């Protein structure tokens, strides 16, 4: 069981990097050196999210974990942008806060886990190596992460179909505004449609992590 959690944490870590790194290479922005401090910080987020949190750590453990992060931040301040450090740390704080979210507001925890943390961690990675953030990077990333959340919550209700149609419409609008390419737009729509149809008619579904991994890989096309 613990080995499985570690593998999931590793996949979570990888999922944060797939689109940022591929974006850098496809736009010839790969003239950079790997920042190992950032790797450790992002790993701390993924490890806490998928492994540590399942062990229900107490306040003191979270405090120790935070101290370790701050020590790493102090060591890395010369090589990492302070905004990136803050952005990654905020994701860790969000994870701390999720334990206090009641089941009544489970959707909020889902948005934090499956949308906010993956999106902004990937943005931090991209900014570190590219030294700027492009709308052409952010938009496909956010669309894929939103799509993954919608797929998870899809149950075949009319409201679910309306949400999917809205997502498709938003994708079309973003294409017309030249924020995403035609291939990206078609890829996102096909991905969402195929995933929801498999879930509805074949009862084949996966975790949000799997959908995000597939979605990010499809963006490489």
């Amino acid at each position: 069981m613990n080995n499985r959690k570690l593998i999931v944490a590793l996949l979570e870590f990888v999922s944060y990097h797939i689109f940022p790194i591929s974006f850098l290479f496809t736009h010839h922005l790969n003239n950079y050196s790997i920042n190992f401090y950032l790797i450790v910080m992002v790993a701390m987020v993924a490890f806490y999210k998928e492994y540590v949190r399942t062990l229900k750590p107490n306040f003191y453990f979270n405090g120790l974990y935070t101290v370790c992060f701050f020590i790493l931040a102090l060591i890395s301040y010369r090589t990492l942008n302070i905004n990136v450090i803050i952005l990654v740390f905020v994701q860790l704080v969000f994870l701390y806060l999720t334990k206090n979210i009641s089941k009544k507001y489970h959707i909020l925890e889902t948005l934090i886990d499956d949308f906010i943390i993956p999106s902004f961690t990937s943005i931090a990675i991209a900014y570190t190596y590219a030294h700027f953030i492009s709308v052409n990077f952010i938009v496909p990333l956010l669309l894929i992460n939103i799509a993954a959340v919608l797929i998870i919550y899809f149950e075949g209700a009319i409201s679910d179909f309306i949400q999917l149609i809205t997502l498709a419409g938003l994708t079309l609008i973003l294409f017309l505004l030249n924020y995403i390419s035609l291939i990206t737009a078609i890829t996102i729509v096909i991905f969402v449609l195929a995933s929801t149809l498999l879930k509805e008619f074949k009862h084949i579904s996966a975790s949000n992590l799997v959908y995000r991994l597939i979605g990010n890989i499809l963006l490489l096309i």
Side-chain angles (χ1 to χ4, degrees):
M1 185 66 177
N2 288 337
N3 289 337
R4 180 181 178 278
K5 291 178 182 177
L6 288 174
I7 292 173
V8 172
L10 177 61
L11 291 175
E12 182 76 15
F13 172 80
V14 170
S15 73
Y16 298 154
H17 288 79
I18 293 176
F19 187 52
I21 299 303
S22 65
F23 182 86
L24 295 174
F25 273 93
T26 55
H27 289 78
H28 307 291
L29 300 170
N30 53 320
N31 185 24
Y32 60 83
S33 58
I34 296 175
N35 193 304
F36 291 99
Y37 296 116
L38 178 65
I39 289 177
V40 175
M41 287 181 180
V42 173
M44 288 182 70
V45 172
F47 181 67
Y48 189 95
K49 180 174 183 284
E50 299 297 341
Y51 185 84
V52 175
R53 190 173 53 168
T54 62
L55 303 177
K56 298 181 179 180
N58 58 27
F59 174 81
Y60 299 103
F61 180 89
N62 288 345
L64 179 61
Y65 207 78
T66 301
V67 169
C68 292
F69 187 95
F70 281 158
I71 292 173
L72 185 62
L74 287 173
I75 297 173
S76 65
Y77 81 96
R78 290 186 177 180
T79 60
L80 267 181
N81 184 290
I82 185 63
N83 294 320
V84 170
I85 295 175
I86 293 173
L87 187 58
V88 177
F89 178 67
V90 167
Q91 310 317 306
L92 200 56
V93 172
F94 277 140
L95 288 173
Y96 294 159
L97 295 176
T98 54
K99 66 178 295 184
N100 299 317
I101 298 176
S102 67
K103 293 182 179 180
K104 180 180 179 181
Y105 301 103
H106 177 69
I107 183 65
L108 179 59
E109 182 179 354
T110 299
L111 288 175
I112 291 174
D113 279 2
D114 300 336
F115 178 71
I116 294 176
I117 291 175
S119 298
F120 286 96
T121 304
S122 293
I123 289 172
I125 293 169
Y127 183 81
T128 297
Y129 296 121
H131 305 296
F132 72 94
I133 284 296
S134 167
V135 174
N136 292 332
F137 168 80
I138 293 178
V139 170
L141 175 70
L142 296 183
L143 277 177
I144 281 296
N145 289 339
I146 290 174
V149 172
L150 291 180
I151 294 169
I152 287 294
Y153 275 91
F154 183 85
E155 296 180 348
I158 294 178
S159 59
D160 295 331
F161 283 104
I162 292 175
Q163 290 173 357
L164 294 181
I165 293 172
T166 302
L167 179 66
L170 177 61
T171 304
L172 175 61
I173 292 172
L174 292 172
F175 161 67
L176 294 175
L177 293 174
N178 293 321
Y179 285 130
I180 58 176
S181 67
L182 178 60
I183 294 177
T184 299
I186 294 174
T187 299
I188 292 174
V189 171
I190 292 177
F191 165 63
V192 174
L193 182 61
S195 299
T196 52
L197 289 177
L198 285 172
K199 185 175 183 180
E200 177 68 13
F201 297 106
K202 296 294 183 179
H203 304 292
I204 299 175
S205 61
S207 66
N208 176 270
L209 172 58
V210 172
Y211 288 129
R212 280 191 286 110
L213 281 169
I214 295 173
N216 278 278
I217 292 172
L218 288 176
L219 289 178
L220 305 183
I221 300 175

